[in-house]
Amino acid sequence: MGKNRPLKAGFIALSAVMMALLLGTAWGGGEQVVLDADRVEYDQARGFAVATGNVRITRGILRVFAPKVEYSAESQMIEAFSSPGERVVLLQGGQRMDGDHLTLDMASGEGVLTSAKGAFPAEKGEIYASGDDVTTYRFETARTEGLVKGQVPEEFRDRVYQWQDVSSTTCPRAGTPHYNLVSKKIIIIPGYRVVASKPRVYIGGKYIFTYPFDYMIDLRESSRSQVMPQVIYEGEKGIGITYGAPFMIGDISGRWKGFLWSKVDFEGALSLDYRFADNVTLFADAVYSWNSDQKEKRFRPQWGANYNFGGWTGRLWWSQAESVTVEKALGETFTGTLWRKPEFSINSPAWELPGSIGSFRVYGIWGEYETSSSTGTNTVTINRTGFGGSYSGSASMGDITPSWGISYWWYDYGSRNRTQETITARFGLHWPIGPVSMTSTWVKRWADGGSPMSWDNYSDSEAFYQGMLVPLGSSWSIYARAGYNVMNSRLDEMYYRLTFANNCCYRIDFSYRDDLVGLDDWAGVVFVINAFPSHPFFFNTKQISEIDQ
């Protein structure tokens, strides 16, 4: 028996090579289809092959692994079968799925995977899903059948997955996840977005509520998808509860958020986006909010277009009675109302400097504005033109990480001798003391000239921030940051955050900011999904300046 092993091994290898050549020829000049297995049986008359044992079939970034695969050279269809303890695996880029049985057209990439489970990349980590059958489509087919709405960038127009009766979560825990969304159908555009059809929300396996719209998760943007309501506090508004989420209606992607406060009652916001072209997105926002400066609550609409051309980004937009809050310096915050009629901005991509010493970018802006004057006594209409640039970098020196940055802005306000220049420098140092993480940051601004508008009229400032993160066991930590006004020699701000992390898929932040020179105190309790750790997408609850990050 042993004498036949070399002959058998040679036959298997030769068969694999012949199948690789055969399938590559069958593909007809495109990407090669390559089949590899422990054993390949090929019926040349029928153009039919059966591969068994550690089967691997690939075409470009599409890969299939299975115990058994049948392939028709004429139709270019494969059928992959699982076995006890070994499922069929389908890989495409960062998308991974496994199931009981796969039927796949290797020419088009379309097919069906039954009893599927899978994972695909989120902003950080992965989204895990399991359910019934997954159907794969070419992008053009999915668009024709109405599965894809709106404009999709060119780089994501490859495959679309439709999944039936599916449960999805970012929790990797086996068994019952800490939370999950259950939908009759989800549509996945790998690397771009996931749309779940009116999902039901479960916490610890217990049903909580049903979301009334199609729920959209953007896999590209740094935005957090809010699953649970949040409790917040602001000094002038009182205690509040907020909830909001993205949704899809046809070609329109939307986001909504509502607040209910103890002192000012309801606030809300609705944002709608329409991708007009690959590089242009039209938007319209309707915000109903309280303005503490005017002591009024009213609608504050905004509309315009965002664009991205070769890394150059910008916005053309109009706004009416926009509620503006600008932290101009530590202990100095402007709150007021602004009309943009319109404003146009452009920002370059970040250009890396040689030697890993940082990056720089340039930007420009033009706009016509109606707002309160720099003295606050009357309303003015002003044209403003500006340009600037910034440079930033960081380095790693063992446990110590220094960072630095400098920015410059020049503005002209359309009247004689009305210009303003600002230079802002920052230097930070991240360093440990045992298990405690320390962050020290110095920030200084030089201002020359001035603005006829209050909201962008700057002056010299200098501040020092000291932050400290202390772990409290394996799940808890506390962060404290002091803001010291160097020019006035006083402590202007204290910020505290207590965090519980379940070391799996979510964390809860309890935050409090103490404004020591004004009335801008606020607090919040926020539920954060680890896979989407960025700040909320719009109409934020308040947050401290990340100048020390």
Side-chain angles (χ1 to χ4, degrees):
M1 195 73 175
K3 293 180 181 179
N4 293 328
R5 287 178 182 170
L7 180 61
K8 181 179 179 181
F11 174 76
I12 293 172
L14 180 61
S15 297
V17 172
M18 290 177 63
M19 285 303 299
L21 293 174
L22 173 68
L23 299 180
T25 303
W27 172 243
E31 288 181 315
Q32 235 184 21
V33 178
V34 180
L35 174 66
D36 187 19
D38 291 343
R39 180 180 179 86
V40 178
E41 297 178 358
Y42 179 62
D43 185 336
Q44 188 171 5
R46 297 169 53 207
F48 189 80
V50 178
T52 55
N54 299 312
V55 183
R56 172 177 175 170
I57 186 166
T58 64
R59 174 187 155 249
I61 63 171
L62 186 67
R63 292 173 290 167
V64 176
F65 301 85
K68 178 183 177 181
V69 169
E70 296 180 354
Y71 175 79
S72 170
E74 181 178 353
S75 65
Q76 297 189 38
M77 294 291 297
I78 72 166
E79 192 170 3
F81 303 86
S82 61
S83 63
E86 189 176 1
R87 288 163 63 86
V88 178
V89 177
L90 174 64
L91 299 177
Q92 182 183 14
Q95 173 81 50
R96 182 190 188 281
M97 292 183 290
D98 61 81
D100 289 340
H101 178 267
L102 172 67
T103 303
L104 184 67
D105 185 335
M106 293 300 292
S108 67
E110 296 185 337
V112 177
L113 179 67
T114 65
S115 301
K117 294 181 180 180
F120 44 97
E123 178 190 341
K124 182 178 180 181
E126 292 186 309
I127 299 175
Y128 304 95
S130 61
D132 206 343
D133 298 348
V134 174
T135 304
T136 67
Y137 297 90
R138 287 185 298 181
F139 181 85
E140 294 79 7
T141 304
R143 169 81 79 185
T144 300
E145 297 195 7
L147 301 178
V148 177
K149 306 293 185 180
Q151 292 287 334
V152 175
E154 186 72 33
E155 62 266 31
F156 301 106
R157 298 179 187 175
D158 185 15
R159 295 286 178 267
V160 175
Y161 300 91
Q162 178 180 250
W163 211 326
Q164 304 289 340
D165 296 322
V166 60
S167 170
S168 57
T169 181
T170 59
C171 179
R173 186 172 73 166
T176 302
H178 290 101
Y179 81 94
N180 62 307
L181 309 179
V182 177
S183 304
K184 285 290 185 182
K185 178 181 69 176
I186 66 173
I187 303 297
I188 305 167
I189 304 176
Y192 184 60
R193 72 181 176 211
V194 177
V195 180
S197 176
K198 298 180 177 62
R200 302 186 302 277
V201 179
Y202 291 81
I203 302 294
K206 297 181 179 179
Y207 170 76
I208 304 300
F209 65 93
T210 298
Y211 190 69
F213 306 103
D214 288 348
Y215 189 90
M216 184 185 71
I217 302 172
D218 195 323
L219 302 178
R220 301 177 307 155
E221 297 178 356
S222 296
S223 62
R224 180 167 68 206
S225 296
Q226 184 178 338
V227 174
M228 295 297 293
Q230 302 171 358
V231 179
I232 52 180
Y233 168 81
E234 290 186 22
E236 295 190 348
K237 299 180 180 180
I239 299 173
I241 185 169
T242 173
Y243 181 72
F247 62 90
M248 291 285 295
I249 300 178
D251 292 342
I252 305 295
S253 61
R255 298 165 177 171
W256 68 270
K257 199 164 192 176
F259 292 76
L260 188 61
W261 300 97
S262 60
K263 294 183 179 180
V264 299
D265 300 322
F266 175 77
E267 290 184 313
L270 175 66
S271 176
L272 302 176
D273 293 338
Y274 173 73
R275 187 172 290 277
F276 179 74
D278 283 349
N279 302 313
V280 179
T281 300
L282 306 180
F283 69 89
D285 301 341
V287 177
Y288 181 68
S289 65
W290 169 262
N291 182 280
S292 59
D293 183 59
Q294 302 292 327
K295 303 297 182 184
E296 66 172 1
K297 194 190 309 185
R298 59 169 293 174
F299 281 100
R300 309 177 190 278
Q302 303 176 17
W303 64 95
N306 295 315
Y307 58 90
N308 185 335
F309 294 102
W312 288 80
T313 61
R315 167 178 279 202
L316 172 66
W317 61 312
W318 289 257
S319 70
Q320 294 184 355
E322 178 187 349
S323 184
V324 177
T325 299
V326 181
E327 186 175 350
K328 298 197 287 186
L330 183 63
E332 181 187 0
T333 300
F334 169 85
T335 302
T337 305
L338 178 68
W339 281 256
R340 304 178 197 260
K341 300 182 170 183
E343 179 184 274
F344 174 77
S345 63
I346 185 169
N347 306 281
S348 77
W351 293 302
E352 297 293 330
L353 295 173
S356 300
I357 60 174
S359 62
F360 76 98
R361 62 191 310 167
V362 296
Y363 25 75
I365 194 168
W366 174 88
E368 181 180 334
Y369 309 90
E370 181 179 323
T371 186
S372 58
S373 66
S374 57
T375 61
T377 57
N378 61 304
T379 299
V380 294
T381 299
I382 299 293
N383 289 325
R384 182 183 71 162
T385 302
F387 66 84
S390 64
Y391 161 72
S392 62
S394 64
S396 180
M397 304 170 61
D399 292 336
I400 300 175
T401 303
S403 62
W404 54 86
I406 188 168
S407 64
Y408 170 81
W409 267 108
W410 176 87
Y411 295 109
D412 181 273
Y413 297 95
S415 59
R416 191 172 185 180
N417 298 323
R418 268 298 190 179
T419 62
Q420 179 176 221
E421 290 181 275
T422 65
I423 299 175
T424 304
R426 172 184 58 83
F427 180 78
L429 200 65
H430 182 78
W431 48 288
I433 300 179
V436 178
S437 297
M438 309 290 289
T439 304
S440 306
T441 308
W442 168 82
V443 183
K444 183 173 177 62
R445 181 177 63 227
W446 297 267
D448 183 43
S451 168
M453 300 181 290
S454 295
W455 68 284
D456 77 332
N457 187 40
Y458 291 98
S459 58
D460 293 348
S461 66
E462 186 175 3
F464 179 79
Y465 299 87
Q466 181 59 57
M468 179 174 62
L469 178 65
V470 182
L472 305 174
S474 61
S475 300
W476 292 87
S477 66
I478 186 169
Y479 174 77
R481 191 187 80 171
Y484 182 76
N485 191 320
V486 176
M487 296 193 71
N488 295 327
S489 301
R490 71 187 182 201
L491 186 65
D492 281 1
E493 175 192 81
M494 287 298 302
Y495 171 77
Y496 309 92
R497 183 179 67 239
L498 180 66
T499 298
F500 170 78
N502 73 339
N503 298 315
C504 180
C505 59
Y506 71 85
R507 75 175 193 268
I508 303 175
D509 290 339
F510 306 85
S511 302
Y512 174 66
R513 191 250 191 170
D514 186 6
D515 182 359
L516 301 177
V517 296
L519 300 175
D520 193 20
D521 298 341
W522 52 265
V525 181
V526 180
F527 180 89
V528 181
I529 295 175
N530 293 342
F532 301 95
S534 301
H535 297 311
F537 37 72
F538 75 110
F539 202 67
N540 293 8
T541 56
K542 288 193 174 182
Q543 302 167 40
I544 60 169
S545 168
E546 298 295 334
I547 194 72
D548 63 342
Q549 300 303 308

